[in-house]
């Protein structure tokens, strides 16, 4: 009898799992339930769609639904929402606009993703308040932007999405007021990088308000004002970019454990505590390479890799989902901003490390080659073991790929000395003889010795 691999969620983790399972075990029935109309799309591209650099929302779709259905023989059902899981009977209750039915499974993957956080701020239910977590949200925000001219948008949150949307709005000639309740934007990147990014934002006419809590947003028929302890700021729209939280309610109600991060707890193969049930993607925990502890880092590669591993395991080849270093990069106007591993002194000490850090500034190219600029690097190592723990970088060029060298060092359990001795490439148009990463490692090695 044909076994059924049922997947709840049709984005990165879900469709990667479906494709891998069907490829490795063509006789297996693979069913995907997706409550929306979009599958396998690049949500990371939404800020650039809003800015106008990407013309069509459809361009963000990696593989259209019909290709999964026709070319890969995957039973993909859009507009089908999983309402309940019954682990004992191994069934899922499914709701559509027309009916409710029960779908059985032999193995189940929960890939329900994450939702935008709605902070406890009065007035967020008013018209003109947006988030940017889904394709439909991206369409709505773009329609608003296209209809405006010279208006002001308030952004609540100075993380990835907040920074990227500040650039997108300025690119559409909108004024921007950005509110961040912490001391700096991009807090996980460290204060040195954050200060450089804040300067870049202000140079591009973004009004940056740090250490600023938004109490409420006010208006009549729609939002008109952002109210903080420092005063009232007139706006024509508000983007809430306060982060995301994993969608775990469906799984939790079925007895599937939630881990310490608030995401679904899994083992090295993505298995939950419930037999035959897996979890992957933005709803699930994964082990951090620095601490060895569960982490929730909702990034695209993490979701795709974990989903693919679960698909291979279900098809008969047990495959670990792997560890992550939390490597991330974003564009902030003319800057590349990146990080990997852990930088926060308190968090590292809680994990048992004795962190030591250095911050350096180096040239992105050979000093005599035209067009170069400065790269700022903060590198963190452990005083006891000498291990590389994390890094952050900012600069106008060469940052987005240099961070990968440190990420590889972390996941390869390399020491700071090992990093300093890497045989990295050199040519004047691309870097100095001593790459900035090597220089940072040399300086940090001196402090650790």
């Amino acid at each position: 009898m044909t076994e059924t691999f049922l997947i709840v969620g049709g984005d990165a983790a879900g469709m990667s799992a479906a494709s891998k399972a069907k490829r490795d075990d063509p006789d297996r029935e693979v069913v995907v339930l997706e409550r929306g109309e979009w599958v396998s799309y690049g949500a990371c591209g939404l800020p650039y769609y809003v800015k106008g650099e990407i013309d069509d929302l459809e361009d963000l779709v990696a593989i259209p639904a019909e290709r999964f259905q026709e070319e890969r023989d995957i039973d993909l059902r859009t507009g089908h929402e999983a309402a309940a899981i019954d682990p004992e009977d191994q069934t899922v209750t499914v709701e559509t606009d027309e009916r409710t039915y029960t779908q059985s499974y032999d193995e189940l993957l929960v890939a329900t993703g994450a939702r935008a956080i709605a902070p406890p701020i009065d007035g967020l239910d008013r018209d003109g308040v947006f988030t940017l977590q889904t394709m439909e949200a991206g369409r709505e925000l773009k329609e608003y932007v296209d209809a405006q001219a010279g208006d002001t948008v308030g952004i609540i949150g100075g993380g990835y999405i907040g920074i990227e949307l500040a650039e997108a709005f300025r690119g559409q000639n909108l004024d921007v007021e950005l509110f961040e309740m912490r001391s700096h934007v991009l807090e996980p990147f460290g204060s040195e990088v954050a200060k450089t990014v804040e300067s870049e934002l202000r140079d591009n006419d973004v009004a940056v308000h740090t250490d600023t809590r938004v109490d409420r947003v006010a208006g009549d028929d729609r939002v008109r004002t952002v109210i903080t302890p420092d005063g009232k700021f007139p706006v024509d729209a508000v983007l809430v970019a306060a982060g995301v939280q994993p969608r775990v309610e469906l799984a939790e109600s079925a007895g599937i454990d939630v881990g310490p991060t608030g995401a679904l707890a899994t083992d090295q193969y993505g298995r939950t505590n419930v037999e035959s049930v897996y979890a992957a993607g933005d709803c699930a925990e994964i082990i951090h390479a620095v601490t060895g502890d569960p982490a929730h880092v909702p990034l695209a590669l993490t979701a795709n890799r974990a989903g693919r591993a679960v698909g291979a395991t279900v098809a008969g080849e047990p495959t670990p989902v792997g560890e992550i270093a939390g490597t991330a990069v974003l564009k902030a106007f003319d800057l590349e901003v990146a990080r990997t591993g852990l930088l926060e002194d308190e968090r590292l000490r809680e994990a048992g490390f004795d962190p030591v850090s250095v911050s350096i500034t180096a040239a992105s190219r050979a000093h005599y080659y035209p067009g170069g600029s400065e790269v700022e690097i903060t590198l963190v190592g452990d005083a006891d073991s000498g291990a590389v723990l994390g890094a952050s970088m900012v600069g106008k060029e060469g940052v987005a790929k240099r961070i990968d060298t440190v990420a590889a060092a972390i996941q390869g359990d390399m020491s700071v000395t090992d990093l300093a001795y890497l045989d990295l490439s050199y040519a004047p148009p691309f870097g100095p003889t001593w790459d900035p990463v090597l220089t940072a490692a040399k300086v940090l090695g001196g402090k650790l010795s």
Side-chain angles (χ1 to χ4, degrees), residues 226-241:
V226 171
I227 300 173
T228 78
D230 298 326
K232 299 179 180 180
F233 298 85
V235 297
D236 301 284
V238 167
L239 173 80
V240 180

Side-chain angles (χ1 to χ4, degrees), residues 355-430:
V356 177
S357 68
V358 297
S359 295
I360 69 152
T361 299
S364 66
R365 307 182 187 185
H367 72 277
Y368 52 81
Y369 193 91
S373 57
E374 291 185 340
V375 176
E376 300 172 29
I377 298 180
T378 295
L379 185 65
V380 184
D382 180 31
D384 294 330
S385 66
V388 180
L389 300 178
S392 63
M393 304 180 190
V394 62
K396 292 188 175 182
E397 65 173 12
V399 166
K401 301 313 295 180
R402 280 189 169 102
I403 198 69
D404 293 341
T405 302
V406 185
I410 290 171
Q411 293 197 264
D413 295 325
M414 295 174 65
S415 69
V416 172
T417 299
D418 293 332
L419 178 59
Y421 273 88
L422 285 179
D423 185 20
L424 300 185
S425 62
Y426 157 67
F430 308 111

Side-chain angles (χ1 to χ4, degrees), residues 257-266 285 294:
D257 286 347
V258 172
T261 69
L264 299 176
T266 64
E285 293 182 336

Side-chain angles (χ1 to χ4, degrees), residues 65-77:
E66 56 269 19
R67 282 187 57 192
F68 285 111
Q69 296 159 335
E70 297 168 6
E71 298 178 14
R72 303 191 180 187
D73 193 26
I74 293 170
D75 185 356
L76 170 58
R77 306 172 189 175

Side-chain angles (χ1 to χ4, degrees), residues 117-124 129-131 153-159 161-163 165 169 176-181 209 212-217 223 225-228 235 237-243:
I117 292 175
I121 298 172
D122 290 341
L124 293 185
V129 177
F130 300 90
T131 60
V153 180
I155 298 177
I156 301 175
I161 296 296
I163 300 301
L165 262 298
F169 292 143
V176 177
E177 302 277 353
L178 189 150
F179 304 93
E180 170 54 56
M181 66 183 297
H209 309 275
T212 302
R213 184 187 73 253
V214 173
D215 292 329
R216 63 189 178 98
V217 297
V223 60
T225 309
V226 171
I227 300 173
T228 78
V235 297
V238 167
L239 173 80
V240 180

Side-chain angles (χ1 to χ4, degrees), residues 19-92:
S19 298
K20 180 61 175 174
K22 194 67 178 181
R23 185 183 305 117
D24 289 1
D25 186 2
D27 294 331
R28 184 180 297 269
E29 181 183 30
V30 177
V31 179
V32 180
L33 306 174
E34 169 52 49
R35 65 179 189 163
E37 62 173 302
W38 304 89
V39 299
S40 191
Y41 60 87
C44 299
L46 287 171
Y48 309 106
Y49 168 69
V50 172
K51 186 179 180 181
E53 292 180 332
I54 297 170
D55 293 331
D56 194 326
L57 195 60
E58 293 281 355
D59 292 341
L60 299 181
V61 176
I63 302 175
E66 56 269 19
R67 282 187 57 192
F68 285 111
Q69 296 159 335
E70 297 168 6
E71 298 178 14
R72 303 191 180 187
D73 193 26
I74 293 170
D75 185 356
L76 170 58
R77 306 172 189 175
T78 56
H80 287 60
E81 182 169 8
I85 300 170
D86 186 335
E88 186 173 340
D89 291 342
Q90 294 195 190
T91 61
V92 171

Side-chain angles (χ1 to χ4, degrees), residues 153-436:
V153 180
I155 298 177
I156 301 175
Y160 302 92
I161 296 296
I163 300 301
E164 291 172 341
L165 262 298
E167 178 181 342
F169 292 143
R170 290 297 300 131
Q172 294 284 8
N173 295 316
L174 298 173
D175 294 330
V176 177
E177 302 277 353
L178 189 150
F179 304 93
E180 170 54 56
M181 66 183 297
R182 299 180 178 88
S183 299
H184 293 287
V185 301
L186 297 176
E187 185 183 52
F189 288 71
S191 61
E192 295 304 314
V193 165
K195 291 174 184 176
T196 300
V197 173
E198 288 164 5
S199 178
E200 179 76 2
L201 292 171
R202 293 184 173 111
D203 287 346
N204 284 275
D205 297 322
V206 175
V208 180
H209 309 275
T210 54
D211 284 319
T212 302
R213 184 187 73 253
V214 173
D215 292 329
R216 63 189 178 98
V217 297
D220 38 35
D221 56 329
R222 61 179 293 119
V223 60
R224 300 294 180 188
T225 309
V226 171
I227 300 173
T228 78
D230 298 326
K232 299 179 180 180
F233 298 85
V235 297
D236 301 284
V238 167
L239 173 80
V240 180
V244 299
Q245 62 186 27
R247 294 181 180 272
V248 299
E249 298 82 3
L250 174 70
E252 191 173 20
S253 65
I256 297 170
D257 286 347
V258 172
T261 69
L264 299 176
T266 64
D267 69 4
Q268 63 175 326
Y269 297 102
R271 296 177 297 209
T272 70
N273 63 300
V274 174
E275 186 177 359
S276 301
V277 179
Y278 299 78
D282 291 357
C283 67
E285 293 182 336
I286 198 161
I287 295 300
H288 200 289
V290 173
T291 65
D293 295 329
H296 180 241
V297 183
L299 295 171
L301 178 59
T302 302
N304 277 279
R305 179 183 288 134
R308 188 178 190 276
V310 170
T313 298
V314 167
E317 185 64 37
T319 303
V321 298
E323 298 181 345
I324 56 97
T327 309
V329 64
L330 73 147
K331 181 177 179 293
F333 292 96
D334 289 333
L335 294 179
E336 299 174 13
V337 192
R339 60 153 292 144
T340 190
L342 295 177
L343 298 158
E344 302 90 337
D345 190 86
E346 182 178 353
R347 185 174 176 187
L348 285 167
R349 292 188 185 281
E350 289 175 354
F353 297 105
D354 184 5
V356 177
S357 68
V358 297
S359 295
I360 69 152
T361 299
S364 66
R365 307 182 187 185
H367 72 277
Y368 52 81
Y369 193 91
S373 57
E374 291 185 340
V375 176
E376 300 172 29
I377 298 180
T378 295
L379 185 65
V380 184
D382 180 31
D384 294 330
S385 66
V388 180
L389 300 178
S392 63
M393 304 180 190
V394 62
K396 292 188 175 182
E397 65 173 12
V399 166
K401 301 313 295 180
R402 280 189 169 102
I403 198 69
D404 293 341
T405 302
V406 185
I410 290 171
Q411 293 197 264
D413 295 325
M414 295 174 65
S415 69
V416 172
T417 299
D418 293 332
L419 178 59
Y421 273 88
L422 285 179
D423 185 20
L424 300 185
S425 62
Y426 157 67
F430 308 111
T433 304
W434 285 94
D435 187 88

